[in-house]
């Protein structure tokens, strides 16, 4: 996790700006002979793709992911397989509107990375927020599609569990509902409320935050390497690296701070199949930085989009006090599209730890 | 961040088990000619040291940190300076009571890493929880004491802001109060309440969680490297790597999810000194993964100690269903001692990013 | 240095196969505001480009390097500058002839990576040797062109100093001669001999090895970090990673093993300018893994191309004993084109160490 | 490979100065349940230990390696096993004579790291050459002893094959002879000559270089990860990181540059056991950066010790022109003790690659 590379054995290197010719990533260290196709990647790209409902930005990007290397036909079936060499993925920027950027070039939008990029580098590609654009996250989803296939039996799913102050009713959780509304919301009833709520936000030119939950099933116990390669540590690192994320928690998370030891302990019994069975999962599937075999549960908070219509006080690069408001295409709740991105980062982290564990310990013993 | 090493340019490698002869760390990549003494390190070690009040474990460890390498006398003053080579720090385990470990050797304590270490490695040093013991965090504090001196002008301070469900009153925040109570609590009034509250918890053989806040002042804008070396990402990684931590947030954190864009935006004006001045700090000093120059604000949730007197249902290594309760010396609120540890991890992360930034960009321009 | 990424702060990630749609690399960690253009990169690409004389492979590749990210126009001059974000470079494969690969698909060419890729991955893109093709080195040259601009005042030059058993006469060394013959040979007289010699090798369908020397001028003292980030160690790592390289030496190299301490010691005097002056450079500019300020001198041995016309005994993937000979376009002395590649790897290594040194120590003190 | 850490999955972090209280290393990422004892480590320590014949420095160090962490008793046998957590090894400095260091404190010894440490860090522990002392290599041998046990069936052996200009006769190579002479020389006849030759060098207060060869048997095909994690690349990195090493070669090495493709190709036939059999090993067991299954063969050149009696011209820290000669205890041929060190670095590199390969590919398929 450094520079623009995430992971140790399963490594993703990201590049590209919002309005350059393309963005992309290099997925390195993938095991060989894993079937992968552009269609499979596209399936996940399409979830993150903008412009699919009135609740996300109206930028029209096909987000077509091309594989440029690292795959080859199976001799017998003709199916494309990974070869173990770097997989280069390229996504062209198609709908990068040429427009007048003089406003965001000079005025620092509060809550935006404009000013910090300037402070750090002394230069920035301001077109469409350049490297700081959420567009960069498309490469995460592409890499995540490959990561999903690395760990046998692993399923990683995400859902929006809170929008603004409005949390879902967890008793109504239904995974099937997630794909039936534009919010990836597992509570169908709440999804109807969100539609109204967000329409209001959107029409006012405002924006709102959200909380996303990602759950990974099917992982073996033993993944994670204390004390500085802990599984929860790297999940936190991956999720916090997503644009606009301000908090991450595992299992009971901040609620666990309010509990007593008795309440928090996940008691254990033996299941019918002779395997351990936990009576609860406050740990979120991780103890001492190592997976327990229970589902991995992570949540993250996404702040409201900083690009809003309402004028905010700010300064220019030259130090003049001004007001700024952002017209143009933007997400009223950027947290929605964070669902497939969060899934991708968890999948990438787990694929990496699966290989790291196999390296140190071996397998199948 | 991998294995037992944290950091890229300023790197800390940790080793040791709770009841072995010693624990320690190697601090590598420290700039040369920084004055450092064992006394300075000891100052911070003493904050984390157990047995200082009735609210922490009664294990008696002097926690004396010895420097074995990487320092040398200044030719003129005789003062010890770092030489730029690895600084090896050794802390002997003194009060590692020989006792009967048969209970925790066989029975998995709910919420503890016993079972995951077994699942991963097939062997573990179970004495005093071995590598998974909070004792390991002493090395973090030692390394943090050095990290604090790497960034000129940086001050890193922490405080306990919530114990169980009881949060402090932020209007009563007083840094001077922090060292006047055994909880590192900045709200003197609440500290009195905590004393009573925790006494009750302790006498019942129970435990409780806490929330810690760490604030770093005096940092320049520009630290952090998007998109996978973001400053908040690495702070989250560092804090989540601490034993018993289940959540991390930056600035407004999970609250930011409940806000609108208007509420969340930190507006900017020009200060009297010609520098930018923010009207609020919901961002916690970080935008787009890069420091803004405002104070860095991070919070983390610590779960209640899993070692409690109340019997809990669990299983043995052999798969028998049993109950377990932990007698012996333990922290009723392990979150208290997490304050100096959290400070240390933030200081280490910032020192590392300070050097990484200087490497890519240079300085003083 | 791991997987397909070289470097720590200045990092190059390489991808692509010989007959896929393209190859490329991502240069990450480059300081911002460095002027760089596709033309500058092309200047070095053209040196490595095949088909420029009868002494290199007749594959016709324009080797056009396109910059896809990480640069932006200077506000005032319009000149392209690095932005500090990842620079993605793409080189299309144009002349990837569709041909019958059944021979190299089944028969392991002695000296080639065919069999080891199969042994490792169980699958390989055999077209034009896939990932193991020398084509991959084009990305090194592109990255090297950027690296050259990172260290102020640094000049990195290479030359072929031996072909087969025939070494140049070092007394005739003339840097100006290097670009005047197709061998990058600094000894014009020897270059004429090489032309004849290699014509003979080429006509016989044979091949021959070479020794390349790379010299870097203009570096400050102090680069390199003992004991596992030594400058010579990383130069050796970089040069040994080039296809077909079997040996690396620094300064007097293997000859130093034959010397006494008296003969090997580079004595020091004070120069006219008040700076230290060395009487010789057996150390090749590096002592204890740290640069002395003298020129860095490295040499590497390139084995003869394994693809030759003369039939050699080998086996098939199925284990049948057969003979194999390689027809088609190949370099009779692959060492020639190794000159710009060796320069690139030295430049990349030095750029990385320059930034790493600046990170730990700061600058200009 | 960065700072003072070598390796990616099997990682060795080294610390310590020649005349401080101790030196040591942390071996991290070792697989669990490997039997390891201090006696086994000591066996290899004793080979490198000084003062064992008149041909090495007369410093008397017991070089006792203590294990401080990362091992635990097997429940049934009581045998010490690795636990998968960091193994900390400590070696006390016993015979660090207090003496007058004013000479080497002020005068830069030609060929020594005195001046480069000063140039880089602006401060150095000059006592016994501090961090730049060959004493540091003791930690490599200790770590190597553990690495040897990581790869099942691997045997790593080294030998001195040239002293000064005098190479052994390879036809007389006898591994049994290696332990019967003080030079680790596999040619008993030549060893007798070396005794005389080196006595003369030693009495004159001079020194001489050497070439060491390390051979690893018993490795599977498939280790190594092109293009920047090549096996030969990392062996070169490891060997070049040893003090005084100026050249590294694999297989035929620099000689391969003199060969034609026909001569260099290692032809392949099928062996009696149905496995491939190579007719020669010019490749040194590595093709395309990946192991072939043949023995790995590496050689490295060690320069003569820079500490000699004969006065050499140099300058002081203050810039005065002086002469310097080194009295005191030193190795007339530091290459001798480089044999166990070279073995250790090769073993560490191979252990690391064994785990890296297992991580990406899995095992036993």
């Amino acid at each position: 996790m450094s520079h623009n590379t995430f992971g140790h054995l399963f490594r993703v290197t990201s590049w590209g700006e919002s309005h350059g010719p393309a963005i992309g990533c290099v997925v390195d260290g993938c095991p060989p002979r894993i079937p992968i196709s552009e269609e499979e990647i596209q399936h996940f790209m399409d979830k993150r793709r903008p412009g699919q409902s009135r609740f996300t930005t109206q930028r029209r990007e096909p987000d077509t992911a091309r594989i440029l290397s690292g795959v080859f036909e199976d001799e017998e079936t003709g199916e494309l397989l990974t070869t173990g060499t770097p997989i280069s993925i390229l996504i062209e920027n198609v709908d990068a509107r040429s427009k007048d950027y003089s406003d965001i070039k000079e005025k620092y939008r509060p809550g935006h990375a404009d000013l910090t990029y300037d402070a750090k580098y002394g230069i920035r590609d301001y077109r469409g927020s350049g490297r700081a654009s959420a567009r960069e996250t498309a490469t995460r989803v592409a890499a995540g599609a490959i990561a999903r296939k690395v760990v046998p039996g692993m399923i990683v799913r995400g859902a929006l569990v809170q929008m603004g102050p409005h949390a879902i009713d967890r008793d109504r959780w239904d995974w099937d509902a997630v794909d039936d509304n534009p919010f990836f919301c597992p509570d169908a009833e709440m999804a109807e409320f969100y539609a109204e709520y967000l329409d209001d936000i959107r029409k006012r030119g405002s924006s709102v935050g959200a909380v996303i939950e990602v759950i990974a099933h099917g992982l073996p116990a033993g993944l994670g390497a204390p004390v500085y390669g802990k599984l929860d540590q790297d999940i936190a690192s991956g999720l916090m690296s997503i644009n606009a994320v301000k908090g991450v928690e595992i299992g009971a998370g901040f609620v666990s701070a309010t509990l007593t030891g008795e309440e928090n302990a996940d008691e254990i019994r033996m299941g019918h199949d002779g395997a351990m069975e936990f009576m609860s999962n406050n740990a979120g599937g991780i103890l001492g930085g190592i997976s327990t075999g229970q589902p991995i549960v992570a949540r993250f908070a996404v702040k409201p989009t900083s690009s809003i219509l309402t004028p905010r006080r700010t300064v220019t690069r030259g130090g003049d006090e001004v007001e700024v408001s952002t017209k143009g295409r933007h997400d009223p709740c950027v947290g929605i599209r964070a669902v497939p991105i969060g899934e991708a980062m968890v999948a990438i982290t787990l694929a990496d730890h699966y290989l790291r564990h196999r390296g140190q310990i071996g397998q199948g013993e």
Side-chain angles (χ1 to χ4, degrees), chain A residues 45-303:
Chain A
M45 299 298 288
D46 285 345
K47 289 185 179 239
R48 197 212 68 99
R49 192 150 58 84
Q52 303 195 99
S53 81
R54 68 184 184 277
F55 302 110
T56 58
T57 172
Q58 296 307 301
R59 177 167 173 174
R60 297 278 167 192
E61 284 288 352
D63 271 1
T64 308
R66 280 185 64 205
I67 301 178
L68 297 183
S69 66
V71 298
F72 200 64
E73 294 154 10
D74 182 76
E75 246 172 297
E76 283 157 30
T77 65
E79 189 184 27
L80 281 183
L81 302 177
T82 59
T83 59
T85 62
I87 304 167
S88 178
I89 294 175
L90 186 125
I91 305 160
E92 283 184 67
N93 291 326
V94 173
D95 185 20
R97 288 197 197 162
S98 66
K99 55 167 253 187
D100 179 10
Y101 289 108
S102 53
D103 221 42
I104 62 172
K105 177 178 162 187
E106 291 302 328
K107 295 179 185 174
Y108 292 133
R109 289 166 293 173
H112 232 289
D114 302 339
L115 79 91
T116 52
Y117 270 71
D118 250 12
K120 183 177 191 73
Y121 300 117
I123 181 173
R124 84 194 136 95
D125 180 346
Y126 44 75
R127 301 168 305 164
S129 300
R131 181 74 182 145
S133 166
R135 176 137 190 77
E136 166 265 316
T137 58
T139 69
R140 302 173 183 240
V141 174
I146 299 173
R148 284 168 189 273
K149 307 201 71 174
V150 168
V151 189
M154 176 177 78
I155 295 168
V156 180
R157 291 182 293 190
L160 185 148
V161 297
Q162 185 181 318
M163 187 184 289
H166 308 293
I168 63 160
D169 180 342
R170 300 184 78 90
D171 290 336
R172 289 197 298 251
W173 190 297
D174 173 11
W175 279 114
D176 290 335
V178 167
D179 290 330
D180 286 346
N181 63 69
F183 311 110
F184 301 108
C185 179
D187 172 351
E189 208 166 301
M190 191 50 115
E192 287 180 36
F193 171 79
Y194 287 163
E196 250 178 274
Y197 172 70
L198 197 57
D199 258 336
D200 179 57
I201 294 277
R202 183 173 61 85
K203 284 169 186 161
R204 290 195 345 246
S206 183
S207 64
V208 74
V211 176
I212 311 302
E213 182 164 323
V214 179
I215 302 180
H217 285 89
L219 282 161
L223 306 193
V227 301
Y228 290 129
K230 287 183 170 176
L231 187 56
D232 36 4
Q233 169 185 13
D234 285 345
I235 289 173
S237 170
L239 293 176
M240 196 66 101
S241 76
I242 300 172
N243 303 31
V245 173
K246 299 304 283 186
V248 179
E249 55 182 16
I250 303 293
F254 276 87
V255 166
S256 70
T258 69
L259 303 178
T260 64
E262 289 82 358
E263 293 162 340
N264 188 62
D266 299 316
E267 295 186 296
I268 318 174
R269 298 282 83 179
M270 296 305 292
H272 297 299
D273 56 350
M276 284 187 301
E277 205 165 82
F278 293 83
M279 318 301 287
S280 55
N281 190 12
N282 288 321
I286 303 174
L287 288 174
I290 303 174
S291 66
T292 63
Q294 285 193 282
I296 306 290
V297 181
R299 260 179 315 282
F300 59 101
V302 184
K303 70 177 186 184

Side-chain angles (χ1 to χ4, degrees), chain A residues 269-344:
Chain A
R269 298 282 83 179
M270 296 305 292
H272 297 299
D273 56 350
M276 284 187 301
E277 205 165 82
F278 293 83
M279 318 301 287
S280 55
N281 190 12
N282 288 321
I286 303 174
L287 288 174
I290 303 174
S291 66
T292 63
Q294 285 193 282
I296 306 290
V297 181
R299 260 179 315 282
F300 59 101
V302 184
K303 70 177 186 184
T305 321
S306 304
S307 305
I308 48 177
L309 263 178
T310 317
R312 297 279 93 188
R313 291 178 294 170
T314 190
V315 298
T316 64
R317 295 174 72 194
D320 293 325
E321 300 193 336
V322 293
E323 294 207 328
V324 67
S325 72
T326 316
K327 292 154 206 87
R329 310 167 297 181
H330 288 286
D331 290 285
C333 176
V334 77
I336 299 170
R337 288 166 61 208
V339 174
I341 304 166
E343 288 178 3

